Amino acid sequence: MGKGGNLSEGVVKKILLSYTYVAIWIFLSFTVIVYNKYILDRKLYNWPYPISLTIIHMAFCSSLAYLLVRVFKLVEPVTMTMDLYCKSVVPIGLLYAFSLWLSNSAYIYLSVSFIQMLKALMPVAVYSIGVLFKKDTFKSDTMGNMVSISIGVAIAAYGEAKFDTWGVMLQLGAVAFEATRLVMIQILLTSKGITFNPITSLYYVAPCCLVFLFIPWIFVEYPLLKDTSSFHFDWVIFGTNSFCAFALNLAVFLLVGKTSALTMNVAGVVKDWLLIAFSWSVIKDTVTPINLVGYGLAFLGVAYYNHAKLQALKANEAQKKASQAADEEAGRLLEEREGENGAKKNESQG
């Protein structure tokens, strides 16, 4: 009973921590999305330079992470070779750069609500890429579920009042890069034997992401900004926005590192519904009945997928416990047998 009680207490504590990570990530993600939309939208703050905004975020994150690790020494850096950095961190930095660039660009062309509907494709992308990288196994019923999610998103897109093809392509590209990044983070944290905390994750990944963003910025946005003499850097707007982005980056690495990409997908569904409601009620974006029907279908598909994954995890955990119990029982019997043999040997010698 004592062991069972301790196990239950540990499970409850783990669940509470997981919900805390999820709540923090949802709040910060919600804040950053709405804040970025406000800055990038031509009808609001009217600063439509997504690469520049992302560069500001990454420069802020890199600088703050450097101060925490190297100057104030609040966190110990990870021992990392150049070969390991190039094979592990550089690909994540590249994927992160493209994901942020494309996702921020989409807010110029699409509404917040429609972007969240398109993000319902994230489990489809994560599962497909997980199979590609052999982090997941292909199953026909799971793939059928992925098709149902895709159909739901297609219906939502069909009912979109302000459909923009270029904006949809940007968001779909962002989903693909983000899904790949999530899988690669799991590989980096588990398969490579590297232990990253949120700050060291940013310390290594953010500068790499910044370099990759700087290359397209020189050719795409720098000429436009150079000709915009009326622009003055608003320290309050961009400072608070960058701080929110820094906190979100910590929350993402914390959530994926302490739980899994699956947990992040489940939390993302809740966040998307909240953003759709906020977009419709506060921002006054147009949400049509066909939008909701399509996203509702996609939501059911995502919920079923997450439920199936959860059941599989529970089954694996039960199997491990049964195997552990069998090993303990075998060990106990072996000890008893050795004890009996020892007693017989002593009797024969006596």
Side-chain angles (χ1 to χ4, degrees):
M1 290 295 292
K3 289 183 178 180
N6 291 335
L7 180 62
S8 298
E9 183 180 348
V11 170
V12 170
K13 187 176 180 180
K14 186 176 180 181
I15 291 174
L16 290 176
L17 283 174
S18 297
Y19 276 116
T20 302
Y21 298 142
V22 167
I24 292 172
W25 177 78
I26 288 178
F27 172 77
L28 291 172
S29 182
F30 187 101
T31 302
V32 170
I33 286 172
V34 174
Y35 210 159
N36 287 353
K37 173 66 175 177
Y38 167 76
I39 292 174
L40 295 167
D41 198 305
R42 298 181 189 277
K43 296 179 181 178
L44 298 173
Y45 190 77
N46 189 27
W47 200 68
Y49 303 105
I51 307 178
S52 301
L53 181 63
T54 311
I55 283 179
I56 293 172
H57 291 170
M58 288 300 101
F60 183 88
C61 291
S62 301
S63 302
L64 196 52
Y66 180 84
L67 289 174
L68 293 174
V69 173
R70 292 296 183 184
V71 178
F72 298 108
K73 300 186 184 299
L74 297 178
V75 179
E76 289 293 328
V78 175
T79 302
M80 182 177 297
T81 63
M82 181 58 67
D83 180 68
L84 189 59
Y85 183 87
C86 293
K87 291 182 178 179
S88 300
V89 177
V90 170
I92 290 178
L94 176 62
L95 293 168
Y96 200 20
F98 276 100
S99 173
L100 293 173
W101 173 14
L102 297 182
S103 62
N104 282 335
S105 298
Y107 285 106
I108 299 175
Y109 305 95
L110 303 175
S111 66
V112 171
S113 58
F114 185 44
I115 286 176
Q116 306 320 304
M117 294 177 187
L118 292 175
K119 286 182 179 180
L121 289 171
M122 185 62 73
V124 180
V126 170
Y127 174 73
S128 302
I129 295 168
V131 171
L132 182 64
F133 282 94
K134 297 181 180 180
K135 293 291 292 181
D136 212 333
T137 56
F138 177 84
K139 296 180 181 178
S140 57
D141 56 341
T142 304
M143 184 54 67
N145 187 21
M146 298 299 101
V147 172
S148 69
I149 295 173
S150 302
I151 291 174
V153 174
I155 293 173
Y158 176 78
E160 174 60 21
K162 298 178 180 179
F163 186 90
D164 186 280
T165 303
W166 179 240
V168 170
M169 291 175 62
L170 289 171
Q171 184 55 46
L172 293 180
V175 168
F177 282 114
E178 178 68 6
T180 307
R181 187 181 71 90
L182 291 176
V183 175
M184 290 300 294
I185 286 175
Q186 284 195 302
I187 294 174
L188 174 64
L189 295 177
T190 57
S191 301
K192 300 294 184 180
I194 301 174
T195 302
F196 270 173
N197 63 44
I199 296 176
T200 53
S201 297
L202 282 178
Y203 175 75
Y204 289 105
V205 176
C208 184
C209 178
L210 180 62
V211 171
F212 283 118
L213 286 168
F214 190 73
I215 297 171
W217 178 78
I218 294 176
F219 300 100
V220 178
E221 292 186 2
Y222 174 69
L224 298 175
L225 288 169
K226 190 169 64 172
D227 295 336
T228 308
S229 58
S230 60
F231 173 71
H232 298 285
F233 192 86
D234 192 327
W235 289 96
V236 175
I237 291 292
F238 292 103
T240 54
N241 180 250
S242 297
F243 182 80
C244 290
F246 174 78
L248 176 60
N249 279 290
L250 294 184
V252 168
F253 280 108
L254 189 65
L255 182 61
V256 176
K258 296 295 184 181
T259 58
S260 66
L262 173 63
T263 303
M264 187 172 177
N265 290 334
V266 176
V269 172
V270 178
K271 179 205 67 178
D272 292 343
W273 276 114
L274 292 174
L275 278 167
I276 289 172
F278 180 84
S279 176
W280 172 72
S281 61
V282 179
I283 304 179
K284 303 302 180 182
D285 285 337
T286 302
V287 180
T288 67
I290 298 178
N291 278 147
L292 295 178
V293 169
Y295 185 68
L297 177 61
F299 167 76
L300 292 176
V302 171
Y304 178 79
Y305 171 71
N306 291 329
H307 173 73
K309 293 287 287 186
L310 181 60
Q311 294 303 314
L313 290 173
K314 287 182 177 179
N316 289 335
E317 186 175 344
Q319 187 176 3
K320 288 180 180 179
K321 288 181 180 179
S323 178
Q324 184 178 6
D327 291 340
E328 290 177 357
E329 180 66 18
R332 186 180 63 81
L333 291 174
L334 182 61
E335 289 177 359
E336 291 179 356
R337 186 173 301 175
E338 289 176 351
E340 292 175 357
N341 291 338
K344 289 180 180 179
K345 185 177 180 180
N346 291 334
E347 289 177 1
S348 62
Q349 289 177 350

